[in-house]
Amino acid sequence: MEIYKECVVIGSGITGLAAARWLKEYKIDFVVLEKSNDIGGLWRYTESDYGVMEFTHINVSKYNYCFSDHSFPEDTTDYPHHSEMFKYIKSFADKHELYNEINFNTRVTRIEEARVDRLNNEKLNFKNIKFYDKLWKVITKNLTDETETAFITPYVSICSGHHATPIYASFPGQETFPGQIVHSVKFKSARVNEMIDKKVLIVGIGNSAVDAAINKYLIFRCSKVVISTRSGAWIIPNYISGYATDLYACRLFLSLPWKLSTNIMEATIKFIYGHPKNYNLNPKMRALQTQPTVSPTLIHHLQRKHIVIKPNIKTNC
């Protein structure tokens, strides 16, 4: 079966819903394809599927991580828990009546260029068809009844997220390693993943890695927690002088020359925490050269040796 749409949106996470909201606003005929049975993307927590960890809070404040026409409720915490995020996302979809535009339990299996000469020309009634260089065929499988459908469209908006496909580290002797190897995509908590009282090595020092390290030590008392990092990190606090840190990323700050703004950020971090080298973090880049690692408590645990940083452990990623 072939269905003709002006736009096909893949994924109903935050980006997919934002795309859908404006496609609907401008009365463009579209469909959203979602492989799961609900919206929310990674913010819909489940113990057995893709998504956030059991304890995840967003690391961007609610003031900057919100839809432009739909603010968080006033009583929402500055850095919402994933349950608050999911409730907020659903309220956005309800507000704009987006559920009826979404095909759930629908997996995209292939996207290919459509041969116009092989299509049903009677159905090629897109408003601006003469301006399109090519059309696309988005082939899907319904996960409930296994039926296949092809959507013919001039535009495909891919909103499946950059966290959807994990990248695993490898190391010599991995095939005989007797322990458990879990990517953060599959890690939900030390309880769910049965790591209580275990020794744990975490590869990487991004936000997910830091959150997992603190959960393993603070909540479930893993006997040893070590973070391996090749590049080190500048750890940014959630708050500076009582205000959410990202509120300082105003137009004035962003208009400053890059070297000046990163000097200000590094000076602020050193004033609050001291130099990262004091904790063996040893960043190889400037503070604003990469996605920031935000944590209100990691430095506290490093100071007390609850969590240990091991720089330059060699893995292949």
Side-chain angles (χ1 to χ4, degrees):
M1 180 172 64
E2 291 181 348
I3 297 176
Y4 292 75
K5 292 286 182 180
E6 286 183 86
C7 183
V8 171
V9 179
I10 301 174
S12 66
I14 287 178
T15 307
L17 293 176
R21 180 259 185 274
W22 289 106
L23 288 167
K24 187 171 184 178
E25 176 77 13
Y26 288 101
K27 296 179 172 54
I28 295 173
D29 184 26
F30 73 97
V31 65
V32 180
L33 306 177
E34 170 56 50
K35 68 179 180 180
S36 72
N37 61 3
D38 205 349
I39 65 171
L42 63 84
W43 287 111
R44 186 170 69 93
Y45 173 76
T46 65
E47 285 195 356
S48 59
D49 201 359
Y50 164 78
V52 291
M53 298 177 239
E54 187 178 65
F55 46 86
T56 300
H57 285 251
I58 191 170
N59 54 29
V60 180
S61 76
K62 67 177 182 180
Y63 310 105
N64 282 312
Y65 199 84
C66 63
F67 296 105
S68 60
D69 63 341
H70 188 61
S71 300
F72 280 91
E74 287 188 10
D75 61 350
T76 306
T77 54
D78 285 349
Y79 293 91
H81 183 258
H82 66 69
S83 58
E84 295 176 285
M85 283 297 306
F86 184 52
K87 186 184 299 184
Y88 167 71
I89 293 166
K90 288 179 77 70
S91 70
F92 176 80
D94 287 335
K95 176 180 178 179
H96 295 292
E97 300 179 345
L98 299 178
Y99 275 95
N100 291 336
E101 316 297 339
I102 304 171
N103 287 10
F104 291 107
N105 298 307
T106 302
R107 181 187 296 277
V108 174
T109 58
R110 192 165 74 254
I111 301 174
E112 60 187 34
E113 187 176 346
R115 289 281 301 273
V116 177
D117 58 335
R118 295 183 181 179
L119 298 175
N120 186 340
N121 291 329
E122 293 180 2
K123 295 185 179 180
L124 290 177
N125 56 355
F126 302 127
K127 285 184 293 187
N128 298 306
I129 185 69
K130 63 182 179 181
F131 297 111
Y132 300 146
D133 293 330
K134 62 181 69 173
L135 296 174
W136 299 101
K137 179 183 285 190
V138 181
I139 301 170
T140 68
K141 175 180 284 188
N142 185 290
L143 300 180
T144 302
D145 58 18
E146 298 294 312
T147 57
E148 285 196 350
T149 301
F151 291 88
I152 309 300
T153 180
Y155 299 110
V156 180
S157 179
I158 299 177
C159 304
S160 52
H162 63 283
H163 296 294
T165 304
I167 299 176
Y168 286 86
S170 62
F171 54 88
Q174 183 171 343
E175 62 280 358
T176 58
F177 176 63
Q180 185 181 4
I181 300 176
V182 180
H183 193 279
S184 59
V185 167
K186 298 291 185 181
F187 179 75
K188 299 301 176 180
S189 75
R191 174 189 63 83
V192 174
N193 293 90
E194 300 180 346
M195 295 183 181
I196 299 173
D197 296 328
K198 301 288 181 67
K199 295 179 180 178
V200 180
L201 171 66
I202 297 173
V203 179
I205 197 168
N207 290 292
S208 296
V210 169
D211 288 349
I214 293 169
N215 171 263
K216 289 167 185 174
Y217 172 77
L218 186 63
I219 308 300
F220 294 104
R221 299 293 176 181
C222 291
S223 60
K224 188 174 184 179
V225 179
V226 177
I227 297 176
S228 158
T229 170
R230 292 182 299 181
S231 57
W234 292 86
I235 305 299
I236 296 176
N238 285 49
Y239 292 93
I240 297 175
S241 297
Y243 294 96
T245 300
D246 58 25
L247 288 179
Y248 292 93
C250 59
R251 289 185 176 88
L252 174 60
F253 184 79
L254 296 175
S255 68
L256 296 175
W258 176 81
K259 287 187 177 180
L260 176 57
S261 61
T262 203
N263 283 339
I264 292 171
M265 176 59 73
E266 290 174 6
T268 304
I269 293 172
K270 291 175 188 176
F271 177 76
I272 296 172
Y273 289 145
H275 199 287
K277 290 182 180 179
N278 296 343
Y279 312 105
N280 218 19
L281 286 164
N282 304 329
K284 294 181 179 178
M285 63 290 183
R286 304 296 300 274
L288 298 180
Q289 275 187 311
T290 187
Q291 180 177 342
T293 299
V294 181
S295 175
T297 58
L298 178 65
I299 297 298
H300 167 83
H301 293 297
L302 294 178
Q303 288 172 331
R304 287 155 181 77
K305 310 298 183 184
H306 299 160
I307 299 170
V308 178
I309 301 291
K310 292 289 186 182
N312 300 320
I313 293 179
K314 291 185 178 180
T315 58
N316 297 316
C317 291

